[in-house]
Amino acid sequence: MVQLKKEDISQEVFDLYDDYAHNKITRKQFLEKLSLYAVGAITLPALLSFISPNYIDSIIVPEDDPRLDSKMITYNSPKGGKQIDGLLSIPKNIKGKLPGIVVVHENRGLNPYIKDVGRIAALEGFVSLAPDALTPLGGYPGNDDEGRTLQRKRDRLEMLEDFIAAYNYIKNHKSCSGKVGVVGFCFGGWISNMMAVQVPDLGAAVPYYGRQPNDEMAAQIKAPLLLQYGELDKRVNAGWPAFEKVLKANKIEHKAHFYPNVNHGFHNNTTPRYDKEAAELSWKRTVAFFNKHLKS
């Protein structure tokens, strides 16, 4: 089988995958269109395998990392009217209380990549909680295709309440200082933006390529924002000019970074959309931002 490289794949394939991953086309339509790019030695199975997530080889911090107390917990979501599972990760041998970070998944539930981000965040000196909004439907089903299908069955405003409840849980945790921020990816980026709207005392928000709130909502934001965008992500970036205008008009602290020549999902190291340089730089900026606003 041909060993594909990122440079072997046209931008149209990445755009096609983005449409599929965000429910704009069905799996059948995706495969039919993807087959047009299976040319010569590049077969459809090879192309599909290459562009699909690889969780097995992508974990950075193992589940049993001895530096962490990391385990699944359950918390109440009163407005959501249910209980939600989440991965709670706390650095061992901590002195005093630490700030907290809610880590919000994409549009497919708490998959291994987001769990990994939760553990990585904890190793930066935070109490992290990565909830699974699919808990009422049985939780992340083990693959992203089924995860996306399940998440479409939930109301997104109810899921927002579940993540706000996670904020309240971690804020009141015995290991937390009471200062809490949020970082989210894709759907989680939208949740991060909306938590900045809905939670007046949110310490900081870092949305990665997340849809923006409308003008009326955006004007209510009190939390400082660090916004991470991929230059090639035209779908999400289209909402930035209007959002920026409101942020400036209301003197809301914010900084936006557009990473050149990278796609939506550039932080996710499980697919070829991943860009190592942009992911590492954006994460360095994320940690510095949380250190400034949550630890000072």
Side-chain angles (χ1 to χ4, degrees):
M1 181 179 292
V2 175
Q3 294 296 315
L4 296 179
K5 298 179 181 179
K6 190 173 182 178
E7 53 267 28
D8 297 328
I9 308 301
S10 70
Q11 181 60 37
E12 288 80 5
V13 170
F14 291 110
D15 293 341
L16 181 63
Y17 180 79
D18 188 78
D19 285 344
Y20 170 59
H22 295 91
N23 307 311
K24 294 184 179 299
I25 57 175
T26 66
R27 181 172 178 82
K28 181 180 179 181
Q29 292 170 326
F30 171 61
L31 293 176
E32 288 176 348
K33 294 183 178 182
L34 187 64
S35 67
L36 300 177
Y37 299 93
V39 180
I42 302 178
T43 65
L44 179 59
L47 193 55
L48 181 61
S49 175
F50 180 70
I51 203 168
S52 298
N54 176 4
Y55 293 125
I56 296 176
D57 302 318
S58 303
I59 298 299
I60 296 174
V61 179
E63 295 181 6
D64 59 352
D65 191 293
R67 297 169 292 176
L68 293 175
D69 179 9
S70 188
K71 61 185 178 182
M72 294 297 293
I73 58 95
T74 299
Y75 66 91
N76 293 322
S77 178
K79 290 187 178 180
K82 54 188 73 68
Q83 291 188 317
I84 300 295
D85 295 334
L87 180 69
L88 179 69
S89 299
I90 305 174
K92 290 183 177 178
N93 303 317
I94 61 174
K95 295 181 180 179
K97 296 186 177 184
L98 300 175
I101 297 176
V102 180
V103 180
V104 188
H105 59 68
E106 305 146 308
N107 65 335
R108 60 212 70 172
L110 184 59
N111 59 26
Y113 156 62
I114 296 297
K115 285 184 174 181
D116 201 24
V117 174
R119 293 189 294 268
I120 293 169
L123 287 179
E124 299 287 1
F126 300 90
V127 178
S128 75
L129 177 58
D132 187 357
L134 300 187
T135 304
L137 302 176
Y140 175 70
N143 69 80
D144 284 7
D145 284 347
E146 292 181 31
R148 280 190 293 268
T149 299
L150 285 178
Q151 193 154 320
R152 287 200 301 270
K153 296 179 180 180
R154 289 216 59 201
D155 180 87
R156 66 176 185 163
L157 294 180
E158 283 192 3
M159 288 188 282
L160 172 59
E161 294 293 348
D162 296 336
F163 288 104
I164 291 174
Y167 165 85
N168 290 320
Y169 175 90
I170 199 170
K171 180 180 179 181
N172 294 297
H173 193 276
K174 63 181 181 180
S175 297
C176 183
S177 66
K179 291 186 176 182
V180 180
V182 60
V183 60
F185 306 85
C186 183
F187 163 79
W190 175 78
I191 289 287
S192 299
N193 280 323
M194 291 302 295
M195 284 179 64
V197 172
Q198 299 283 1
V199 183
D201 57 350
L202 183 70
V206 184
Y208 273 75
Y209 27 86
R211 286 177 54 196
Q212 302 85 1
N214 63 36
D215 292 356
E216 182 180 356
M217 289 180 174
Q220 301 174 41
I221 292 175
K222 300 291 189 296
L225 302 176
L226 177 65
L227 304 119
Q228 314 273 29
Y229 295 109
E231 183 185 50
L232 301 179
D233 188 6
K234 296 178 181 179
R235 176 178 56 84
V236 170
N237 295 353
W240 169 244
F243 191 29
E244 181 185 32
K245 183 177 179 180
V246 175
L247 295 176
K248 287 183 175 180
N250 290 275
K251 296 182 172 57
I252 297 166
E253 181 180 348
H254 69 281
K255 177 67 176 178
H257 294 286
F258 287 79
Y259 297 88
N261 201 36
V262 301
N263 284 284
H264 182 98
F266 69 81
H267 183 270
N268 187 331
N269 67 334
T270 72
T271 82
R273 296 188 298 174
Y274 172 65
D275 186 279
K276 187 175 188 294
E277 182 178 353
E280 291 180 353
L281 176 57
S282 70
W283 186 252
K284 181 179 179 180
R285 287 168 168 167
T286 295
V287 173
F289 188 73
F290 282 142
N291 283 337
K292 174 183 177 181
H293 292 285
L294 303 181
K295 289 186 177 180
S296 62

